[in-house]
Amino acid sequence: MSPRARTVVLISGRGSNMSALVEAARSPDFAAEIVLVLSDEPGAPGLAIAREAGVAAEATDFRAYPGKAAFEAALDARLRAERAEIVCLAGFMRVLSPPFVERWKGRILNIHPSLLPNLRGLNTHERALRQGVAEHGCTVHFVTAELDAGPIIAQARVPVLTGDDAEALAARVLREEHRIYPAALNAVARSLTAANVREGRLNPS
């Protein structure tokens, strides 16, 4: 079996996408191993959910640091201590700074509830309904310094139905998020592991 890419999931709340990633990673054929769930909020419900699933979970409380740079330095140190190879944002509500993103370039994934590049930012379901679009959806992308603008890894589309409100549309999109995020992580992890083997950074076991 080839080594699995060590993956840390960052959350701020319940982290339903985190749960989908953890469940997918139970398969021995999945190319990523979820080694830690980390939250900026000590009270995040997702921490307990992760522990119940048998995954290490802890908080790096942003309030404990004098500013964003200090918080991100602590976050970076924790990721490196865990020997993280991939970082997945799953409802992580902090915008990461360009220096942090640059240090982890090509290794931070995010799931966004719209068909990027349309509807960057927040309140995507409400905005989709206001726009009157026929389709909505979700996107897994690499994180870059520009918000919701990194290279797209995977997308899923859902129809916008007559009578939809934001809650109904969000639920339909969320089901697709739970499907494509694990698939995207698996693909990225498999590619990363293959590159590491080719370049001699690790050997298949």
Side-chain angles (χ1 to χ4, degrees):
M1 180 184 295
S2 296
R4 303 169 78 197
R6 294 177 63 84
T7 302
V8 175
V9 183
L10 302 187
I11 65 171
S12 293
R14 183 177 182 278
S16 70
N17 273 301
M18 173 272 293
S19 295
L21 296 175
V22 168
E23 183 61 31
R26 293 185 189 279
S27 169
D29 295 330
F30 199 75
E33 176 187 8
I34 310 300
V35 296
L36 179 67
V37 171
L38 191 58
S39 178
D40 61 328
E41 290 281 357
L47 293 174
I49 293 170
R51 293 183 191 116
E52 289 171 6
V55 177
E58 62 188 58
T60 298
D61 187 351
F62 73 95
R63 300 174 190 84
Y65 300 91
K68 184 172 185 174
F71 166 70
E72 289 189 345
L75 187 62
D76 180 74
R78 187 65 192 90
L79 294 172
R80 293 182 184 281
E82 202 58 48
R83 294 182 291 118
E85 297 173 89
I86 299 174
V87 179
C88 287
L89 308 186
F92 186 68
M93 300 308 292
R94 309 219 153 263
V95 177
L96 297 166
S97 71
F100 184 96
V101 170
E102 183 61 29
R103 284 194 296 273
W104 291 88
K105 184 177 180 180
R107 292 188 289 159
I108 310 179
L109 281 60
N110 184 46
I111 181 85
H112 182 76
S114 82
L115 295 171
L116 292 174
N118 192 31
L119 299 174
R120 298 177 185 176
L122 301 175
N123 304 316
T124 60
H125 310 304
E126 292 87 348
R127 291 159 60 201
L129 292 171
R130 285 200 300 270
Q131 284 187 3
V133 296
E135 286 187 316
H136 190 37
C138 51
T139 304
V140 182
H141 65 97
F142 287 109
V143 175
T144 61
E146 186 178 354
L147 184 67
D148 299 331
I152 291 171
I153 302 167
Q155 289 187 315
R157 299 173 180 271
V158 302
V160 178
L161 304 178
T162 302
D164 265 346
D165 58 15
E167 184 176 355
L169 186 55
R172 196 176 305 119
V173 170
L174 189 61
R175 286 193 292 271
E176 292 302 304
E177 291 180 32
H178 293 170
R179 181 180 65 82
I180 70 166
Y181 207 176
L185 171 58
N186 190 42
V188 170
R190 200 170 297 282
S191 176
L192 176 65
T193 299
N196 285 340
V197 171
R198 284 197 307 272
E199 295 173 20
R201 290 194 290 266
L202 50 81
N203 295 307
S205 59

